[in-house]
């Protein structure tokens, strides 16, 4: 790395080559405290369910996927062989992103968004990608919003019950059940429902690295807890606080809706990588790391998205993206080099933390010892799959920390419509 860039990152406590195993061990310690009912950063939420042993056949379910910036809904129908067909798909904005909503407004928005599937099935699978306490009947009590959603009156509500009331108020027949889950559980269930032909897996993990960050895995029974059978557990990994935060992270945190929360998520996920990079770029420009004219242009930037930041990494001389266009006007060869190395440090750190979360989940699940039956990791999220070199780096770190260091075996897979499929399966699980 360029000496000036390295010194700059060090001055601001930006540690992009932090040891993956050290992070994973810290996450594991926190996971175990949460599972024992002790104070922990991660919520370690029990779901009271496991992947079903039989295929869903001859059934329909309404699917809702609410999280990040979008609200998606559709009907999923399983034929007699268990093959899924998706119909009536609609996408709109996630309520509470553009402006603050009260409780009634929030659920009324949901009901209006679902008019196109009104009474098409009596079961609803609801993927609600925010921290929830899952009840044993499949409902979920909202613990708090992330991803900048603004609906404070909804915190503490039984989401399924409130939605059911809103639907009935909008003229629906009362649904027989609404099953709440988050996107990590949906990803995990999709991996279990659609294994690669000829493969068997010893366990399953769902990882989301997109707008937000989280993981779910199958936890063996916890002897320290009187009633904690083997089941899927949602970690709320983004809440992990045992991370090294730079000056840029601290500055960005103060500008978010909930400062002092979701430390890990704000280091790693797509919602924050662009703004985080902007904090870094402004500091570097102010401290003389770029040529005068280029620094002036960078300081005029008032926003930076992940798309534009990632566009520079994929093609520094591509002027179709914001940073590339600015650089084309005024950057020197050294400017290009320094900016690239700074942005690459941001995604390098994200990859290391995502890998550490997966290492912890595989170790905690206790499987993967048989190479012919690895742990299936279904990953979801454009940040994981499309951001510059994140997927490749995660693979490398898992090879080092799981396979070589611990003798544990794993496979990362992806599935089309994974969240939709997993949510539909959850909606049909009998409790």
């Amino acid at each position: 790395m360029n000496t000036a860039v390295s010194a700059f990152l060090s001055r601001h406590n930006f540690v992009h080559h932090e040891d993956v195993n050290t992070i994973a061990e810290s996450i594991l310690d926190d996971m175990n405290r949460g599972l024992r009912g002790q104070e922990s950063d991660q919520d370690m939420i029990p779901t009271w369910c496991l992947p079903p042993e039989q295929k869903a056949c001859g059934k329909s379910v309404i699917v809702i996927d609410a999280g990040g910036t979008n609200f998606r809904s559709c009907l999923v129908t399983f034929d007699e062989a268990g093959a899924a067909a998706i119909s009536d798909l609609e996408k709109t904005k996630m309520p509470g992103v553009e402006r603050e909503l009260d409780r009634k407004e929030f659920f009324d928005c949901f009901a209006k968004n679902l008019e196109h599937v009104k009474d098409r099935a009596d079961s609803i699978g609801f993927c609600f990608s925010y921290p929830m306490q899952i009840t044993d009947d499949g409902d979920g009590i909202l613990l708090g919003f992330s991803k900048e959603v603004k609906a404070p009156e909804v915190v503490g509500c039984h989401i399924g019950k409130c939605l059911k009331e809103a639907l009935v108020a909008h003229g629906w027949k009362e649904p027989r059940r609404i099953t709440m889950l988050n996107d990590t559980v949906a990803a995990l269930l999709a991996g279990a429902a659609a294994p690669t032909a000829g493969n068997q897996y010893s366990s399953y993990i769902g990882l989301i690295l997109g707008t937000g960050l989280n993981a779910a895995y199958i936890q063996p029974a916890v002897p320290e807890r009187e009633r904690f059978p083997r089941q899927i557990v949602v970690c709320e990994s983004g809440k992990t606080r045992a991370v090294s935060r730079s000056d840029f992270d601290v500055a960005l945190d103060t500008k978010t809706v909930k400062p002092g929360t979701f430390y890990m998520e704000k280091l790693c996920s797509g919602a924050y990588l662009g703004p985080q990079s902007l904090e870094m770029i402004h500091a570097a420009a102010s401290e003389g790391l770029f040529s005068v004219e280029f620094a002036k242009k960078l300081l005029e930037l008032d926003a930076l998205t992940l798309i534009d930041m990632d566009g520079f990494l994929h093609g520094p001389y591509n002027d179709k993206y914001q940073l590339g266009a600015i650089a084309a006007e005024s950057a020197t060869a050294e400017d290009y080099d320094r900016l690239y190395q700074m942005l690459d440090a941001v995604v390098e750190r994200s990859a290391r933390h995502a890998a550490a979360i997966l290492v912890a989940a595989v170790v905690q699940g206790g499987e993967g010892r048989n190479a012919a039956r690895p742990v299936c990791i279904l990953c979801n999220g454009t940040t994981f799959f499309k951001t510059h070199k994140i997927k490749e780096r995660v693979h490398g770190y898992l090879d080092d920390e799981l396979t070589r260091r611990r003798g544990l075996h794993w496979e990362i897979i992806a599935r089309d419509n994974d969240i939709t499929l997993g949510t539909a399966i959850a909606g049909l699980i009998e409790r």
Side-chain angles (χ1 to χ4, degrees):
M1 176 175 277
N2 180 285
T3 303
V5 174
S6 181
F8 166 73
L9 295 178
S10 180
R11 281 199 306 275
H12 291 280
N13 196 36
F14 191 95
V15 184
H16 63 293
H17 283 123
E18 193 170 356
D19 181 63
V20 173
N21 186 62
T22 300
I23 306 169
E25 293 287 356
S26 178
I27 294 170
L28 272 166
D29 179 68
D30 187 69
M31 292 170 81
N32 281 302
R33 281 188 278 116
L35 290 168
R36 292 192 295 266
Q38 300 170 356
E39 185 176 349
S40 62
D41 296 339
Q42 299 168 93
D43 294 323
M44 304 306 292
I45 301 167
T47 63
W48 312 109
C49 73
L50 286 165
E53 295 182 2
Q54 304 297 325
K55 289 184 177 181
C57 299
K59 297 178 180 179
S60 293
V61 58
I62 293 168
V63 166
I64 307 168
D65 178 9
T69 56
N70 296 315
F71 181 102
R72 299 177 181 86
S73 52
C74 64
L75 184 74
V76 176
T77 302
F78 294 92
D79 66 17
E80 295 304 323
I86 299 170
S87 62
D88 303 277
L89 177 64
E90 287 193 5
K91 182 174 78 171
T92 186
K93 290 280 188 182
M94 175 65 191
V97 171
E98 295 182 338
R99 66 180 181 89
E100 184 171 315
L101 301 177
D102 64 27
R103 175 174 164 177
K104 184 177 185 304
E105 288 176 317
F106 187 79
F107 288 104
D108 278 346
C109 285
F110 278 23
K112 291 173 185 175
N113 289 343
L114 294 170
E115 276 295 316
H116 66 293
V117 289
K118 184 175 181 179
D119 295 332
R120 298 283 300 278
D122 63 0
S123 294
I124 298 175
F126 189 171
C127 180
F128 194 62
S129 302
Y130 304 94
M132 293 182 291
Q133 176 188 338
I134 300 298
T135 57
D136 55 12
D137 62 355
D139 205 343
I141 302 169
L142 180 65
L143 300 176
F145 280 114
S146 58
K147 305 167 202 168
E148 310 302 291
V149 173
K150 300 171 283 293
E153 289 184 13
V154 180
V155 177
C157 293
H158 286 72
I159 301 298
K161 178 183 176 183
C162 289
L163 176 60
K164 188 180 291 188
E165 291 171 352
L167 294 177
V168 171
H170 281 250
W172 285 56
K173 297 175 185 176
E174 183 174 326
R176 186 164 67 92
R177 67 170 162 238
I178 297 179
T179 301
M180 302 299 303
L181 68 158
N182 79 356
D183 46 6
T184 58
V185 178
L188 186 155
L189 290 173
T196 305
N199 284 9
Q200 289 188 8
Y201 298 110
S202 53
S203 192
Y204 300 91
I205 290 170
L207 174 79
I208 306 296
L209 182 56
T211 304
L213 168 74
N214 200 4
Y217 71 104
I218 297 177
Q219 167 65 39
V222 178
E224 295 91 338
R225 298 275 289 273
E226 185 176 342
R227 183 177 174 268
F228 204 108
R230 181 173 177 266
Q231 61 185 290
I232 300 169
V233 166
V234 178
C235 302
E236 291 304 333
S237 309
K239 287 187 170 184
T240 304
R241 296 173 65 90
V243 294
S244 175
R245 294 202 304 161
S246 70
D247 295 343
F248 318 125
D249 302 309
V250 174
L252 175 62
D253 184 43
T254 64
K255 300 173 184 177
T256 60
V257 171
K258 291 188 176 180
T261 63
F262 291 90
Y263 281 9
M264 179 75 87
E265 182 168 287
K266 290 172 184 175
L267 265 60
C268 301
S269 72
Y272 302 100
L273 293 183
Q276 182 188 105
S277 298
L278 184 63
E279 296 287 344
M280 177 185 288
I281 289 169
H282 279 172
S286 298
E287 294 177 23
L289 268 78
F290 301 117
S291 63
V292 174
E293 190 59 31
F294 189 46
K296 181 181 176 182
K297 295 282 187 182
L298 291 175
L299 287 170
E300 291 172 356
L301 274 176
D302 58 4
L304 183 66
T305 66
L306 172 58
I307 291 172
D308 281 313
M309 168 253 200
D310 188 46
F312 185 85
L313 288 173
H314 275 101
Y317 296 91
N318 184 345
D319 61 6
K320 293 181 180 179
Y321 293 100
Q322 189 178 31
L323 290 176
I326 294 171
E329 293 178 356
S330 55
T332 66
E334 187 170 54
D335 288 334
Y336 273 100
D337 180 46
R338 290 183 177 186
L339 180 57
Y340 187 98
Q341 290 191 44
M342 288 178 195
L343 299 182
D344 190 60
V346 172
V347 296
E348 167 71 22
R349 187 178 67 167
S350 176
R352 285 175 177 262
H353 284 79
I357 290 168
L358 289 175
V359 169
V362 171
V363 171
Q364 187 66 29
E367 299 290 349
R369 299 182 185 88
N370 185 327
R373 298 184 70 244
V375 176
C376 174
I377 303 170
L378 192 145
C379 292
N380 173 281
T382 54
T383 304
F384 180 84
F385 284 106
K386 294 187 177 182
T387 301
H388 190 250
K389 293 186 179 179
I390 282 186
K391 179 181 72 173
E392 295 84 354
R393 284 167 168 165
V394 169
H395 271 265
Y397 298 138
L398 294 186
D399 260 336
D400 287 342
E401 301 301 335
L402 286 176
T403 308
R404 295 173 189 165
R405 183 189 290 264
R406 294 177 170 89
L408 298 177
H409 304 278
W410 51 277
E411 180 183 355
I412 290 179
I413 68 168
R415 291 288 179 267
D416 291 339
N417 303 308
D418 49 4
I419 303 303
T420 300
L421 174 61
T423 302
I425 290 166
L428 297 173
I429 293 174
E430 297 287 347
R431 294 175 184 261

